[in-house]
Amino acid sequence: MTTPRSAPDRLLAVLGTFDHEHPALSLTDISRRAGLSLTTAHRLVGALTAWGALERDPSGLYHIGLRLWEVSALAPRGLALRQVALPFLEDLYEATHENVALAVRDGTEVVYIEWISARTAIGVRIQVGARWPLHATGVGLALLAHTEPEFQAAYCTEPLTAYTEHTITDPGRLRRALAEVRRAGCAVSSRQVTDDALSVAAPVRGAGGAVVAAASVVVPVRDTQIPALVPAVRLAARGISRALGWQPRPGPERASV
């Protein structure tokens, strides 16, 4: 027997119907995607719209409302982190004039919370709010490499989705890549999401020293000078880390950021 969903579960199901592929939905679409009756969906959508979590446009379609944006601004790993990081990301962009990103980990996925690009930069399948598996991107590798060993071991036992023939799908290869990230202090992900793009990423540390985010630059594979990109990305990540309160330990220069 199926356990009836609670009211909070149904509300979250309504909000969960929206994503990057479905930013605007009709009431019928919401009902179908949330698995709710039209009557229930109508009641919940009305409550969410009255609160400001949803907005209805003149055509009758619903969109995520500004009230949720206001609430999300309070998230320490969202807009608050973005505001601290933005000056350093802008410096990285000025130094490269390529795609620059900031991302955080959410479970087994990486979520992009900032993205700076130019019309001349290579086109990629990334935007603010986009999610990708940790193993498939530079920022994801930088984040995964600094998770607990138990988490890494569990991640490597799960199927690793391939997006190109270059995507890391072998657990042994992924473990070696993560060890190299920890050794070098940065991650290089080549042609894992698209065949023409490469990313260089470095971990960002919070005040306590734990890795809380990753910064990266995404460039065309052709004629890429990785040795020139690595110091620039690491410098940006180090700057963000210091702005968050991180202090490197005394002694020889560490490769962790």
Side-chain angles (χ1 to χ4, degrees):
M1 179 179 178
T2 302
T3 302
R5 284 189 287 179
S6 66
D9 286 339
R10 293 195 295 270
L11 280 170
L12 292 174
V14 169
L15 293 175
T17 61
F18 295 86
D19 55 31
H20 283 287
E21 286 71 42
H22 305 88
L25 295 169
S26 68
L27 181 62
T28 300
D29 292 332
I30 293 171
S31 170
R32 175 178 53 81
R33 287 173 57 81
L36 300 171
S37 69
L38 195 59
T39 301
T40 299
H42 182 271
R43 176 170 51 82
L44 296 176
V45 166
L48 289 168
T49 302
W51 186 77
L54 297 180
E55 296 177 356
R56 188 171 185 265
D57 66 25
S59 70
L61 296 180
Y62 290 90
H63 307 256
I64 293 296
L66 286 177
R67 187 73 180 273
L68 282 187
W69 179 262
E70 294 171 2
V71 173
S72 69
L74 302 175
R77 293 201 304 153
L79 293 180
L81 173 58
R82 170 190 173 275
Q83 290 172 348
V84 172
L86 194 54
F88 302 96
L89 298 176
E90 290 173 339
D91 286 345
L92 180 58
Y93 171 77
E94 289 299 328
T96 62
H97 289 286
E98 298 287 356
N99 299 298
V100 170
L102 181 71
V104 297
R105 181 175 72 88
D106 184 19
T108 60
E109 296 178 314
V110 60
V111 180
Y112 288 83
I113 62 173
E114 184 54 270
W115 182 259
I116 303 175
S117 185
R119 287 177 296 175
T120 56
I122 186 171
V124 292
R125 296 163 57 188
I126 294 172
Q127 57 185 319
V128 173
R131 291 174 174 265
W132 287 90
L134 290 168
H135 68 278
T137 65
V139 287
L141 290 173
L143 290 164
L144 180 58
H146 293 89
T147 58
E148 293 296 323
E150 296 80 9
F151 180 89
Q152 293 179 36
Y155 189 95
C156 289
T157 63
E158 296 297 321
L160 302 175
T161 303
Y163 299 94
T164 73
E165 63 179 340
H166 304 285
T167 306
I168 298 175
T169 57
D170 176 69
R173 183 185 168 200
L174 178 57
R175 284 190 288 267
R176 291 190 294 273
L178 298 178
E180 177 60 19
V181 171
R182 291 189 293 272
R183 184 199 68 80
C186 66
V188 177
S189 176
S190 180
R191 298 176 291 175
Q192 288 216 86
V193 174
T194 62
D195 287 317
D196 56 353
L198 174 148
S199 66
V200 177
V204 171
R205 295 182 181 273
V211 171
V212 296
S216 74
V217 61
V218 183
V219 301
V221 170
R222 179 172 50 87
D223 301 326
T224 294
Q225 299 295 322
I226 295 178
L229 293 173
V230 168
V233 176
R234 289 187 62 194
L235 181 63
R238 178 175 288 269
I240 300 169
S241 299
R242 287 182 178 274
L244 291 172
W246 174 76
Q247 293 293 329
R249 295 177 183 176
E253 181 72 12
R254 291 165 57 85
S256 59
V257 174

